[in-house]
Amino acid sequence: MTDLGGTSDAVAFEGQWRGPVVATSVHAGHGLRPEIADAMVLDEAERFREEDPFTDRIASVVEDRVITTRSRFEADLNRPRREAVYRSPEDCWGLDVWREGTLSDELFEGSLATYDAFYDGLAPRLDALAERGPFVLLDVHSYNHRRDGADEPPAPAADNPEVNVGTGSVDDDLFGPLVERFVSDIRRTSSGSGPLDARENVAFEGRNLAWWVHDRYPRVGCVLALEFKKTFMDEWTGELDEARLGAAQEALAGTLPGLREELEKLR
């Protein structure tokens, strides 16, 4: 890993960060500060199911990327700062997370420090990229599609694409052709039964990381918030399917030449 400043034991940066394509996987982490782990009563398997395990491996096809090791249950890096720490069940899908019912002010402040370390480290790197011209940040996530239970049918494919491409806050006038190229290129990957089912904004449009980048770098930064359906793992047991994970990596890697070509057209 290359230390360019702004790193912590929760956030690190890999690559030279010369762009123009970078990646994040902000919900891939599973670690917790010891004091947070002591205060937590949420079952670890349930926590793992609500995180985005292995998305760091999907994002690893991009040379320049952020590595985050902490769980979203310590600090959710894809929410606005005021909402980033789950203090009560109302903040996180009704789940009982904390031994005392809510998170103490002291632990809350420590978790905000984790959140700040991410954005404080990311900002100067993206500032430097933006000086060179337009860039793309691939914000890699995953989502559950078997919430009714391990033995129940999956959610309908019509509402749950293999890859949901979130572009809700993208400047479509400028980056529309780039988005179209990305979706076209990722669909070229075979899912075994035909082209990969990739669609825009079916269930997810992108959240705080996309908002932050688009506000900070208007008409320069473009975030594609990618939600890979958890067909590369069993979301109930946590078991990984290496072949399907490899297919997801291949699909994302296949989009990189096209992204660079489209960005070059904008320079």
PDB file of all heavy atoms in Angstrom, residues 200-238:
ATOM      1  N   GLU A 200     -29.927   0.462 -14.502  1.00  0.00           N
ATOM      2  CA  GLU A 200     -29.745   1.670 -13.700  1.00  0.00           C
ATOM      3  C   GLU A 200     -30.892   1.883 -12.722  1.00  0.00           C
ATOM      4  O   GLU A 200     -32.069   1.751 -13.078  1.00  0.00           O
ATOM      5  CB  GLU A 200     -29.679   2.905 -14.602  1.00  0.00           C
ATOM      6  CG  GLU A 200     -28.349   3.166 -15.259  1.00  0.00           C
ATOM      7  CD  GLU A 200     -28.352   4.517 -15.964  1.00  0.00           C
ATOM      8  OE1 GLU A 200     -28.348   5.553 -15.275  1.00  0.00           O
ATOM      9  OE2 GLU A 200     -28.394   4.514 -17.205  1.00  0.00           O
ATOM     10  N   ASN A 201     -30.538   2.220 -11.483  1.00  0.00           N
ATOM     11  CA  ASN A 201     -31.448   2.798 -10.491  1.00  0.00           C
ATOM     12  C   ASN A 201     -32.727   1.996 -10.275  1.00  0.00           C
ATOM     13  O   ASN A 201     -33.790   2.573 -10.063  1.00  0.00           O
ATOM     14  CB  ASN A 201     -31.798   4.237 -10.898  1.00  0.00           C
ATOM     15  CG  ASN A 201     -30.569   5.109 -11.080  1.00  0.00           C
ATOM     16  OD1 ASN A 201     -29.593   4.995 -10.348  1.00  0.00           O
ATOM     17  ND2 ASN A 201     -30.613   5.979 -12.079  1.00  0.00           N
ATOM     18  N   VAL A 202     -32.624   0.674 -10.290  1.00  0.00           N
ATOM     19  CA  VAL A 202     -33.806  -0.151 -10.041  1.00  0.00           C
ATOM     20  C   VAL A 202     -34.202  -0.077  -8.576  1.00  0.00           C
ATOM     21  O   VAL A 202     -35.367   0.124  -8.240  1.00  0.00           O
ATOM     22  CB  VAL A 202     -33.557  -1.614 -10.460  1.00  0.00           C
ATOM     23  CG1 VAL A 202     -34.765  -2.483 -10.134  1.00  0.00           C
ATOM     24  CG2 VAL A 202     -33.244  -1.690 -11.956  1.00  0.00           C
ATOM     25  N   ALA A 203     -33.241  -0.256  -7.688  1.00  0.00           N
ATOM     26  CA  ALA A 203     -33.521  -0.209  -6.255  1.00  0.00           C
ATOM     27  C   ALA A 203     -32.582   0.728  -5.508  1.00  0.00           C
ATOM     28  O   ALA A 203     -32.882   1.131  -4.387  1.00  0.00           O
ATOM     29  CB  ALA A 203     -33.427  -1.621  -5.656  1.00  0.00           C
ATOM     30  N   PHE A 204     -31.453   1.077  -6.108  1.00  0.00           N
ATOM     31  CA  PHE A 204     -30.438   1.900  -5.448  1.00  0.00           C
ATOM     32  C   PHE A 204     -29.951   2.967  -6.425  1.00  0.00           C
ATOM     33  O   PHE A 204     -29.668   2.669  -7.578  1.00  0.00           O
ATOM     34  CB  PHE A 204     -29.247   1.042  -5.004  1.00  0.00           C
ATOM     35  CG  PHE A 204     -29.631  -0.166  -4.193  1.00  0.00           C
ATOM     36  CD1 PHE A 204     -29.775  -1.411  -4.798  1.00  0.00           C
ATOM     37  CD2 PHE A 204     -29.838  -0.069  -2.827  1.00  0.00           C
ATOM     38  CE1 PHE A 204     -30.125  -2.527  -4.061  1.00  0.00           C
ATOM     39  CE2 PHE A 204     -30.182  -1.181  -2.079  1.00  0.00           C
ATOM     40  CZ  PHE A 204     -30.332  -2.425  -2.696  1.00  0.00           C
ATOM     41  N   GLU A 205     -29.832   4.194  -5.943  1.00  0.00           N
ATOM     42  CA  GLU A 205     -29.398   5.291  -6.805  1.00  0.00           C
ATOM     43  C   GLU A 205     -28.060   5.890  -6.382  1.00  0.00           C
ATOM     44  O   GLU A 205     -27.569   6.803  -7.038  1.00  0.00           O
ATOM     45  CB  GLU A 205     -30.467   6.393  -6.810  1.00  0.00           C
ATOM     46  CG  GLU A 205     -31.787   5.942  -7.410  1.00  0.00           C
ATOM     47  CD  GLU A 205     -32.787   7.082  -7.550  1.00  0.00           C
ATOM     48  OE1 GLU A 205     -32.485   8.205  -7.063  1.00  0.00           O
ATOM     49  OE2 GLU A 205     -33.843   6.869  -8.156  1.00  0.00           O
ATOM     50  N   GLY A 206     -27.467   5.356  -5.315  1.00  0.00           N
ATOM     51  CA  GLY A 206     -26.252   5.946  -4.768  1.00  0.00           C
ATOM     52  C   GLY A 206     -26.586   6.863  -3.612  1.00  0.00           C
ATOM     53  O   GLY A 206     -27.634   7.530  -3.623  1.00  0.00           O
ATOM     54  N   ARG A 207     -25.690   6.889  -2.604  1.00  0.00           N
ATOM     55  CA  ARG A 207     -25.971   7.740  -1.445  1.00  0.00           C
ATOM     56  C   ARG A 207     -24.829   8.706  -1.186  1.00  0.00           C
ATOM     57  O   ARG A 207     -24.309   9.330  -2.100  1.00  0.00           O
ATOM     58  CB  ARG A 207     -26.287   6.876  -0.219  1.00  0.00           C
ATOM     59  CG  ARG A 207     -27.759   6.519  -0.116  1.00  0.00           C
ATOM     60  CD  ARG A 207     -28.207   6.284   1.322  1.00  0.00           C
ATOM     61  NE  ARG A 207     -28.629   7.504   1.981  1.00  0.00           N
ATOM     62  CZ  ARG A 207     -28.911   7.572   3.290  1.00  0.00           C
ATOM     63  NH1 ARG A 207     -28.808   6.486   4.045  1.00  0.00           N
ATOM     64  NH2 ARG A 207     -29.298   8.701   3.839  1.00  0.00           N
ATOM     65  N   ASN A 208     -24.418   8.806   0.074  1.00  0.00           N
ATOM     66  CA  ASN A 208     -23.610   9.945   0.487  1.00  0.00           C
ATOM     67  C   ASN A 208     -22.284  10.078  -0.245  1.00  0.00           C
ATOM     68  O   ASN A 208     -21.874  11.183  -0.580  1.00  0.00           O
ATOM     69  CB  ASN A 208     -23.346   9.896   1.994  1.00  0.00           C
ATOM     70  CG  ASN A 208     -22.691  11.165   2.489  1.00  0.00           C
ATOM     71  OD1 ASN A 208     -23.316  12.216   2.524  1.00  0.00           O
ATOM     72  ND2 ASN A 208     -21.420  11.092   2.845  1.00  0.00           N
ATOM     73  N   LEU A 209     -21.590   8.968  -0.483  1.00  0.00           N
ATOM     74  CA  LEU A 209     -20.307   9.092  -1.169  1.00  0.00           C
ATOM     75  C   LEU A 209     -20.500   9.722  -2.547  1.00  0.00           C
ATOM     76  O   LEU A 209     -19.745  10.608  -2.946  1.00  0.00           O
ATOM     77  CB  LEU A 209     -19.633   7.725  -1.277  1.00  0.00           C
ATOM     78  CG  LEU A 209     -18.267   7.708  -1.972  1.00  0.00           C
ATOM     79  CD1 LEU A 209     -17.304   8.700  -1.333  1.00  0.00           C
ATOM     80  CD2 LEU A 209     -17.687   6.303  -1.953  1.00  0.00           C
ATOM     81  N   ALA A 210     -21.525   9.276  -3.265  1.00  0.00           N
ATOM     82  CA  ALA A 210     -21.818   9.873  -4.569  1.00  0.00           C
ATOM     83  C   ALA A 210     -22.204  11.333  -4.423  1.00  0.00           C
ATOM     84  O   ALA A 210     -21.722  12.190  -5.182  1.00  0.00           O
ATOM     85  CB  ALA A 210     -22.929   9.092  -5.269  1.00  0.00           C
ATOM     86  N   TRP A 211     -23.057  11.633  -3.459  1.00  0.00           N
ATOM     87  CA  TRP A 211     -23.481  13.025  -3.261  1.00  0.00           C
ATOM     88  C   TRP A 211     -22.266  13.905  -2.962  1.00  0.00           C
ATOM     89  O   TRP A 211     -22.133  15.008  -3.502  1.00  0.00           O
ATOM     90  CB  TRP A 211     -24.474  13.128  -2.113  1.00  0.00           C
ATOM     91  CG  TRP A 211     -25.725  12.333  -2.269  1.00  0.00           C
ATOM     92  CD1 TRP A 211     -26.255  11.829  -3.427  1.00  0.00           C
ATOM     93  CD2 TRP A 211     -26.617  11.928  -1.222  1.00  0.00           C
ATOM     94  NE1 TRP A 211     -27.412  11.143  -3.174  1.00  0.00           N
ATOM     95  CE2 TRP A 211     -27.668  11.185  -1.833  1.00  0.00           C
ATOM     96  CE3 TRP A 211     -26.643  12.112   0.150  1.00  0.00           C
ATOM     97  CZ2 TRP A 211     -28.715  10.635  -1.100  1.00  0.00           C
ATOM     98  CZ3 TRP A 211     -27.685  11.570   0.893  1.00  0.00           C
ATOM     99  CH2 TRP A 211     -28.708  10.836   0.264  1.00  0.00           C
ATOM    100  N   TRP A 212     -21.406  13.432  -2.080  1.00  0.00           N
ATOM    101  CA  TRP A 212     -20.239  14.203  -1.649  1.00  0.00           C
ATOM    102  C   TRP A 212     -19.310  14.483  -2.826  1.00  0.00           C
ATOM    103  O   TRP A 212     -18.856  15.618  -3.021  1.00  0.00           O
ATOM    104  CB  TRP A 212     -19.531  13.435  -0.544  1.00  0.00           C
ATOM    105  CG  TRP A 212     -18.314  14.085   0.021  1.00  0.00           C
ATOM    106  CD1 TRP A 212     -18.258  15.049   0.987  1.00  0.00           C
ATOM    107  CD2 TRP A 212     -16.947  13.787  -0.327  1.00  0.00           C
ATOM    108  NE1 TRP A 212     -16.945  15.374   1.259  1.00  0.00           N
ATOM    109  CE2 TRP A 212     -16.128  14.623   0.464  1.00  0.00           C
ATOM    110  CE3 TRP A 212     -16.353  12.904  -1.229  1.00  0.00           C
ATOM    111  CZ2 TRP A 212     -14.735  14.593   0.381  1.00  0.00           C
ATOM    112  CZ3 TRP A 212     -14.967  12.869  -1.331  1.00  0.00           C
ATOM    113  CH2 TRP A 212     -14.175  13.711  -0.524  1.00  0.00           C
ATOM    114  N   VAL A 213     -19.029  13.466  -3.627  1.00  0.00           N
ATOM    115  CA  VAL A 213     -18.142  13.644  -4.776  1.00  0.00           C
ATOM    116  C   VAL A 213     -18.762  14.596  -5.794  1.00  0.00           C
ATOM    117  O   VAL A 213     -18.101  15.511  -6.304  1.00  0.00           O
ATOM    118  CB  VAL A 213     -17.814  12.291  -5.431  1.00  0.00           C
ATOM    119  CG1 VAL A 213     -17.121  12.484  -6.788  1.00  0.00           C
ATOM    120  CG2 VAL A 213     -16.931  11.450  -4.518  1.00  0.00           C
ATOM    121  N   HIS A 214     -20.037  14.406  -6.079  1.00  0.00           N
ATOM    122  CA  HIS A 214     -20.674  15.240  -7.103  1.00  0.00           C
ATOM    123  C   HIS A 214     -20.810  16.691  -6.654  1.00  0.00           C
ATOM    124  O   HIS A 214     -20.747  17.609  -7.485  1.00  0.00           O
ATOM    125  CB  HIS A 214     -22.033  14.652  -7.487  1.00  0.00           C
ATOM    126  CG  HIS A 214     -21.920  13.313  -8.144  1.00  0.00           C
ATOM    127  ND1 HIS A 214     -22.889  12.337  -8.039  1.00  0.00           N
ATOM    128  CD2 HIS A 214     -20.925  12.765  -8.913  1.00  0.00           C
ATOM    129  CE1 HIS A 214     -22.496  11.266  -8.719  1.00  0.00           C
ATOM    130  NE2 HIS A 214     -21.323  11.504  -9.252  1.00  0.00           N
ATOM    131  N   ASP A 215     -20.972  16.910  -5.358  1.00  0.00           N
ATOM    132  CA  ASP A 215     -21.016  18.286  -4.842  1.00  0.00           C
ATOM    133  C   ASP A 215     -19.631  18.933  -4.840  1.00  0.00           C
ATOM    134  O   ASP A 215     -19.488  20.116  -5.142  1.00  0.00           O
ATOM    135  CB  ASP A 215     -21.580  18.309  -3.422  1.00  0.00           C
ATOM    136  CG  ASP A 215     -23.089  18.121  -3.381  1.00  0.00           C
ATOM    137  OD1 ASP A 215     -23.732  18.254  -4.443  1.00  0.00           O
ATOM    138  OD2 ASP A 215     -23.624  17.835  -2.295  1.00  0.00           O
ATOM    139  N   ARG A 216     -18.620  18.149  -4.502  1.00  0.00           N
ATOM    140  CA  ARG A 216     -17.272  18.687  -4.360  1.00  0.00           C
ATOM    141  C   ARG A 216     -16.587  18.890  -5.717  1.00  0.00           C
ATOM    142  O   ARG A 216     -15.774  19.810  -5.874  1.00  0.00           O
ATOM    143  CB  ARG A 216     -16.445  17.742  -3.476  1.00  0.00           C
ATOM    144  CG  ARG A 216     -15.056  18.258  -3.101  1.00  0.00           C
ATOM    145  CD  ARG A 216     -14.355  17.252  -2.182  1.00  0.00           C
ATOM    146  NE  ARG A 216     -13.015  17.664  -1.832  1.00  0.00           N
ATOM    147  CZ  ARG A 216     -12.675  18.306  -0.705  1.00  0.00           C
ATOM    148  NH1 ARG A 216     -13.603  18.617   0.179  1.00  0.00           N
ATOM    149  NH2 ARG A 216     -11.412  18.635  -0.461  1.00  0.00           N
ATOM    150  N   TYR A 217     -16.939  18.035  -6.687  1.00  0.00           N
ATOM    151  CA  TYR A 217     -16.271  18.084  -8.000  1.00  0.00           C
ATOM    152  C   TYR A 217     -17.309  18.143  -9.119  1.00  0.00           C
ATOM    153  O   TYR A 217     -17.407  17.232  -9.954  1.00  0.00           O
ATOM    154  CB  TYR A 217     -15.383  16.847  -8.181  1.00  0.00           C
ATOM    155  CG  TYR A 217     -14.465  16.583  -7.015  1.00  0.00           C
ATOM    156  CD1 TYR A 217     -14.772  15.582  -6.093  1.00  0.00           C
ATOM    157  CD2 TYR A 217     -13.310  17.328  -6.811  1.00  0.00           C
ATOM    158  CE1 TYR A 217     -13.945  15.333  -5.004  1.00  0.00           C
ATOM    159  CE2 TYR A 217     -12.478  17.092  -5.728  1.00  0.00           C
ATOM    160  CZ  TYR A 217     -12.808  16.094  -4.825  1.00  0.00           C
ATOM    161  OH  TYR A 217     -11.986  15.857  -3.750  1.00  0.00           O
ATOM    162  N   PRO A 218     -18.108  19.207  -9.171  1.00  0.00           N
ATOM    163  CA  PRO A 218     -19.143  19.278 -10.206  1.00  0.00           C
ATOM    164  C   PRO A 218     -18.542  19.271 -11.607  1.00  0.00           C
ATOM    165  O   PRO A 218     -17.542  19.939 -11.873  1.00  0.00           O
ATOM    166  CB  PRO A 218     -19.849  20.612  -9.904  1.00  0.00           C
ATOM    167  CG  PRO A 218     -18.848  21.413  -9.124  1.00  0.00           C
ATOM    168  CD  PRO A 218     -18.068  20.419  -8.332  1.00  0.00           C
ATOM    169  N   ARG A 219     -19.151  18.464 -12.475  1.00  0.00           N
ATOM    170  CA  ARG A 219     -18.744  18.333 -13.880  1.00  0.00           C
ATOM    171  C   ARG A 219     -17.309  17.811 -14.030  1.00  0.00           C
ATOM    172  O   ARG A 219     -16.689  17.955 -15.071  1.00  0.00           O
ATOM    173  CB  ARG A 219     -18.927  19.650 -14.645  1.00  0.00           C
ATOM    174  CG  ARG A 219     -20.371  20.103 -14.691  1.00  0.00           C
ATOM    175  CD  ARG A 219     -20.584  21.299 -15.603  1.00  0.00           C
ATOM    176  NE  ARG A 219     -20.312  20.999 -17.003  1.00  0.00           N
ATOM    177  CZ  ARG A 219     -21.157  20.352 -17.809  1.00  0.00           C
ATOM    178  NH1 ARG A 219     -22.336  19.917 -17.353  1.00  0.00           N
ATOM    179  NH2 ARG A 219     -20.834  20.142 -19.077  1.00  0.00           N
ATOM    180  N   VAL A 220     -16.808  17.189 -12.977  1.00  0.00           N
ATOM    181  CA  VAL A 220     -15.479  16.574 -13.008  1.00  0.00           C
ATOM    182  C   VAL A 220     -15.542  15.149 -12.461  1.00  0.00           C
ATOM    183  O   VAL A 220     -15.046  14.210 -13.076  1.00  0.00           O
ATOM    184  CB  VAL A 220     -14.448  17.408 -12.207  1.00  0.00           C
ATOM    185  CG1 VAL A 220     -13.092  16.702 -12.188  1.00  0.00           C
ATOM    186  CG2 VAL A 220     -14.310  18.805 -12.796  1.00  0.00           C
ATOM    187  N   GLY A 221     -16.149  14.982 -11.286  1.00  0.00           N
ATOM    188  CA  GLY A 221     -16.232  13.667 -10.674  1.00  0.00           C
ATOM    189  C   GLY A 221     -17.525  12.951 -11.030  1.00  0.00           C
ATOM    190  O   GLY A 221     -18.596  13.563 -11.071  1.00  0.00           O
ATOM    191  N   CYS A 222     -17.423  11.650 -11.303  1.00  0.00           N
ATOM    192  CA  CYS A 222     -18.591  10.827 -11.635  1.00  0.00           C
ATOM    193  C   CYS A 222     -18.526   9.549 -10.806  1.00  0.00           C
ATOM    194  O   CYS A 222     -17.582   8.761 -10.950  1.00  0.00           O
ATOM    195  CB  CYS A 222     -18.598  10.490 -13.122  1.00  0.00           C
ATOM    196  SG  CYS A 222     -19.914   9.346 -13.623  1.00  0.00           S
ATOM    197  N   VAL A 223     -19.500   9.355  -9.936  1.00  0.00           N
ATOM    198  CA  VAL A 223     -19.567   8.149  -9.123  1.00  0.00           C
ATOM    199  C   VAL A 223     -20.612   7.203  -9.695  1.00  0.00           C
ATOM    200  O   VAL A 223     -21.767   7.592  -9.900  1.00  0.00           O
ATOM    201  CB  VAL A 223     -19.915   8.474  -7.657  1.00  0.00           C
ATOM    202  CG1 VAL A 223     -20.078   7.184  -6.852  1.00  0.00           C
ATOM    203  CG2 VAL A 223     -18.846   9.354  -7.032  1.00  0.00           C
ATOM    204  N   LEU A 224     -20.210   5.977  -9.949  1.00  0.00           N
ATOM    205  CA  LEU A 224     -21.136   4.906 -10.306  1.00  0.00           C
ATOM    206  C   LEU A 224     -21.255   4.010  -9.072  1.00  0.00           C
ATOM    207  O   LEU A 224     -20.287   3.347  -8.688  1.00  0.00           O
ATOM    208  CB  LEU A 224     -20.626   4.125 -11.513  1.00  0.00           C
ATOM    209  CG  LEU A 224     -20.354   4.937 -12.770  1.00  0.00           C
ATOM    210  CD1 LEU A 224     -19.893   4.015 -13.896  1.00  0.00           C
ATOM    211  CD2 LEU A 224     -21.580   5.728 -13.200  1.00  0.00           C
ATOM    212  N   ALA A 225     -22.433   4.037  -8.445  1.00  0.00           N
ATOM    213  CA  ALA A 225     -22.675   3.254  -7.239  1.00  0.00           C
ATOM    214  C   ALA A 225     -23.166   1.871  -7.658  1.00  0.00           C
ATOM    215  O   ALA A 225     -24.301   1.725  -8.126  1.00  0.00           O
ATOM    216  CB  ALA A 225     -23.696   3.957  -6.344  1.00  0.00           C
ATOM    217  N   LEU A 226     -22.314   0.872  -7.507  1.00  0.00           N
ATOM    218  CA  LEU A 226     -22.581  -0.460  -8.043  1.00  0.00           C
ATOM    219  C   LEU A 226     -23.026  -1.401  -6.929  1.00  0.00           C
ATOM    220  O   LEU A 226     -22.296  -1.612  -5.956  1.00  0.00           O
ATOM    221  CB  LEU A 226     -21.326  -1.013  -8.714  1.00  0.00           C
ATOM    222  CG  LEU A 226     -20.667  -0.088  -9.736  1.00  0.00           C
ATOM    223  CD1 LEU A 226     -19.403  -0.737 -10.282  1.00  0.00           C
ATOM    224  CD2 LEU A 226     -21.633   0.256 -10.864  1.00  0.00           C
ATOM    225  N   GLU A 227     -24.210  -1.954  -7.081  1.00  0.00           N
ATOM    226  CA  GLU A 227     -24.734  -2.940  -6.136  1.00  0.00           C
ATOM    227  C   GLU A 227     -24.773  -4.298  -6.833  1.00  0.00           C
ATOM    228  O   GLU A 227     -25.611  -4.539  -7.700  1.00  0.00           O
ATOM    229  CB  GLU A 227     -26.141  -2.545  -5.675  1.00  0.00           C
ATOM    230  CG  GLU A 227     -26.214  -1.265  -4.861  1.00  0.00           C
ATOM    231  CD  GLU A 227     -25.968  -1.495  -3.373  1.00  0.00           C
ATOM    232  OE1 GLU A 227     -25.801  -2.669  -2.985  1.00  0.00           O
ATOM    233  OE2 GLU A 227     -25.952  -0.498  -2.622  1.00  0.00           O
ATOM    234  N   PHE A 228     -23.849  -5.179  -6.462  1.00  0.00           N
ATOM    235  CA  PHE A 228     -23.824  -6.539  -6.998  1.00  0.00           C
ATOM    236  C   PHE A 228     -24.746  -7.419  -6.155  1.00  0.00           C
ATOM    237  O   PHE A 228     -24.602  -7.474  -4.932  1.00  0.00           O
ATOM    238  CB  PHE A 228     -22.405  -7.100  -6.968  1.00  0.00           C
ATOM    239  CG  PHE A 228     -21.490  -6.539  -8.018  1.00  0.00           C
ATOM    240  CD1 PHE A 228     -20.888  -5.294  -7.847  1.00  0.00           C
ATOM    241  CD2 PHE A 228     -21.236  -7.251  -9.179  1.00  0.00           C
ATOM    242  CE1 PHE A 228     -20.039  -4.777  -8.820  1.00  0.00           C
ATOM    243  CE2 PHE A 228     -20.389  -6.745 -10.159  1.00  0.00           C
ATOM    244  CZ  PHE A 228     -19.791  -5.503  -9.979  1.00  0.00           C
ATOM    245  N   LYS A 229     -25.686  -8.075  -6.801  1.00  0.00           N
ATOM    246  CA  LYS A 229     -26.558  -9.002  -6.079  1.00  0.00           C
ATOM    247  C   LYS A 229     -25.711 -10.117  -5.477  1.00  0.00           C
ATOM    248  O   LYS A 229     -24.784 -10.612  -6.103  1.00  0.00           O
ATOM    249  CB  LYS A 229     -27.625  -9.555  -7.024  1.00  0.00           C
ATOM    250  CG  LYS A 229     -28.671 -10.396  -6.328  1.00  0.00           C
ATOM    251  CD  LYS A 229     -29.964 -10.528  -7.136  1.00  0.00           C
ATOM    252  CE  LYS A 229     -29.796 -11.225  -8.441  1.00  0.00           C
ATOM    253  NZ  LYS A 229     -31.106 -11.470  -9.111  1.00  0.00           N
ATOM    254  N   LYS A 230     -26.057 -10.532  -4.264  1.00  0.00           N
ATOM    255  CA  LYS A 230     -25.229 -11.524  -3.575  1.00  0.00           C
ATOM    256  C   LYS A 230     -25.462 -12.939  -4.102  1.00  0.00           C
ATOM    257  O   LYS A 230     -25.739 -13.872  -3.349  1.00  0.00           O
ATOM    258  CB  LYS A 230     -25.473 -11.465  -2.073  1.00  0.00           C
ATOM    259  CG  LYS A 230     -24.860 -10.250  -1.388  1.00  0.00           C
ATOM    260  CD  LYS A 230     -25.050 -10.301   0.114  1.00  0.00           C
ATOM    261  CE  LYS A 230     -24.448  -9.075   0.786  1.00  0.00           C
ATOM    262  NZ  LYS A 230     -24.696  -9.056   2.245  1.00  0.00           N
ATOM    263  N   THR A 231     -25.283 -13.082  -5.409  1.00  0.00           N
ATOM    264  CA  THR A 231     -25.294 -14.417  -5.993  1.00  0.00           C
ATOM    265  C   THR A 231     -23.901 -15.035  -5.957  1.00  0.00           C
ATOM    266  O   THR A 231     -23.744 -16.213  -6.289  1.00  0.00           O
ATOM    267  CB  THR A 231     -25.795 -14.368  -7.450  1.00  0.00           C
ATOM    268  OG1 THR A 231     -25.054 -13.370  -8.164  1.00  0.00           O
ATOM    269  CG2 THR A 231     -27.274 -14.023  -7.494  1.00  0.00           C
ATOM    270  N   PHE A 232     -22.895 -14.255  -5.565  1.00  0.00           N
ATOM    271  CA  PHE A 232     -21.535 -14.770  -5.449  1.00  0.00           C
ATOM    272  C   PHE A 232     -21.265 -15.355  -4.062  1.00  0.00           C
ATOM    273  O   PHE A 232     -20.147 -15.770  -3.766  1.00  0.00           O
ATOM    274  CB  PHE A 232     -20.511 -13.663  -5.768  1.00  0.00           C
ATOM    275  CG  PHE A 232     -20.634 -12.453  -4.879  1.00  0.00           C
ATOM    276  CD1 PHE A 232     -20.036 -12.416  -3.635  1.00  0.00           C
ATOM    277  CD2 PHE A 232     -21.348 -11.342  -5.293  1.00  0.00           C
ATOM    278  CE1 PHE A 232     -20.148 -11.304  -2.813  1.00  0.00           C
ATOM    279  CE2 PHE A 232     -21.461 -10.216  -4.493  1.00  0.00           C
ATOM    280  CZ  PHE A 232     -20.873 -10.203  -3.239  1.00  0.00           C
ATOM    281  N   MET A 233     -22.281 -15.362  -3.204  1.00  0.00           N
ATOM    282  CA  MET A 233     -22.155 -15.926  -1.866  1.00  0.00           C
ATOM    283  C   MET A 233     -23.533 -16.330  -1.367  1.00  0.00           C
ATOM    284  O   MET A 233     -24.553 -15.944  -1.945  1.00  0.00           O
ATOM    285  CB  MET A 233     -21.538 -14.903  -0.904  1.00  0.00           C
ATOM    286  CG  MET A 233     -22.400 -13.662  -0.678  1.00  0.00           C
ATOM    287  SD  MET A 233     -21.705 -12.504   0.524  1.00  0.00           S
ATOM    288  CE  MET A 233     -21.911 -13.434   2.052  1.00  0.00           C
ATOM    289  N   ASP A 234     -23.558 -17.131  -0.326  1.00  0.00           N
ATOM    290  CA  ASP A 234     -24.801 -17.453   0.355  1.00  0.00           C
ATOM    291  C   ASP A 234     -24.986 -16.419   1.457  1.00  0.00           C
ATOM    292  O   ASP A 234     -24.204 -16.376   2.413  1.00  0.00           O
ATOM    293  CB  ASP A 234     -24.732 -18.865   0.944  1.00  0.00           C
ATOM    294  CG  ASP A 234     -26.053 -19.320   1.554  1.00  0.00           C
ATOM    295  OD1 ASP A 234     -26.684 -18.507   2.270  1.00  0.00           O
ATOM    296  OD2 ASP A 234     -26.439 -20.477   1.341  1.00  0.00           O
ATOM    297  N   GLU A 235     -25.986 -15.570   1.312  1.00  0.00           N
ATOM    298  CA  GLU A 235     -26.114 -14.474   2.271  1.00  0.00           C
ATOM    299  C   GLU A 235     -26.514 -14.942   3.662  1.00  0.00           C
ATOM    300  O   GLU A 235     -26.397 -14.179   4.632  1.00  0.00           O
ATOM    301  CB  GLU A 235     -27.095 -13.413   1.754  1.00  0.00           C
ATOM    302  CG  GLU A 235     -28.521 -13.879   1.623  1.00  0.00           C
ATOM    303  CD  GLU A 235     -29.374 -12.901   0.830  1.00  0.00           C
ATOM    304  OE1 GLU A 235     -29.033 -12.598  -0.329  1.00  0.00           O
ATOM    305  OE2 GLU A 235     -30.387 -12.446   1.388  1.00  0.00           O
ATOM    306  N   TRP A 236     -26.957 -16.192   3.807  1.00  0.00           N
ATOM    307  CA  TRP A 236     -27.341 -16.725   5.119  1.00  0.00           C
ATOM    308  C   TRP A 236     -26.205 -17.452   5.814  1.00  0.00           C
ATOM    309  O   TRP A 236     -26.061 -17.355   7.033  1.00  0.00           O
ATOM    310  CB  TRP A 236     -28.575 -17.620   4.987  1.00  0.00           C
ATOM    311  CG  TRP A 236     -29.808 -16.805   4.737  1.00  0.00           C
ATOM    312  CD1 TRP A 236     -30.360 -16.500   3.529  1.00  0.00           C
ATOM    313  CD2 TRP A 236     -30.595 -16.126   5.721  1.00  0.00           C
ATOM    314  NE1 TRP A 236     -31.443 -15.672   3.695  1.00  0.00           N
ATOM    315  CE2 TRP A 236     -31.616 -15.432   5.031  1.00  0.00           C
ATOM    316  CE3 TRP A 236     -30.534 -16.041   7.109  1.00  0.00           C
ATOM    317  CZ2 TRP A 236     -32.579 -14.666   5.693  1.00  0.00           C
ATOM    318  CZ3 TRP A 236     -31.493 -15.267   7.763  1.00  0.00           C
ATOM    319  CH2 TRP A 236     -32.495 -14.591   7.059  1.00  0.00           C
ATOM    320  N   THR A 237     -25.395 -18.178   5.076  1.00  0.00           N
ATOM    321  CA  THR A 237     -24.274 -18.888   5.692  1.00  0.00           C
ATOM    322  C   THR A 237     -22.968 -18.119   5.580  1.00  0.00           C
ATOM    323  O   THR A 237     -22.008 -18.397   6.311  1.00  0.00           O
ATOM    324  CB  THR A 237     -24.075 -20.266   5.042  1.00  0.00           C
ATOM    325  OG1 THR A 237     -23.625 -20.093   3.687  1.00  0.00           O
ATOM    326  CG2 THR A 237     -25.373 -21.072   5.068  1.00  0.00           C
ATOM    327  N   GLY A 238     -22.899 -17.172   4.645  1.00  0.00           N
ATOM    328  CA  GLY A 238     -21.672 -16.441   4.400  1.00  0.00           C
ATOM    329  C   GLY A 238     -20.696 -17.157   3.492  1.00  0.00           C
ATOM    330  O   GLY A 238     -19.607 -16.643   3.228  1.00  0.00           O
TER     331      GLY A 238
END
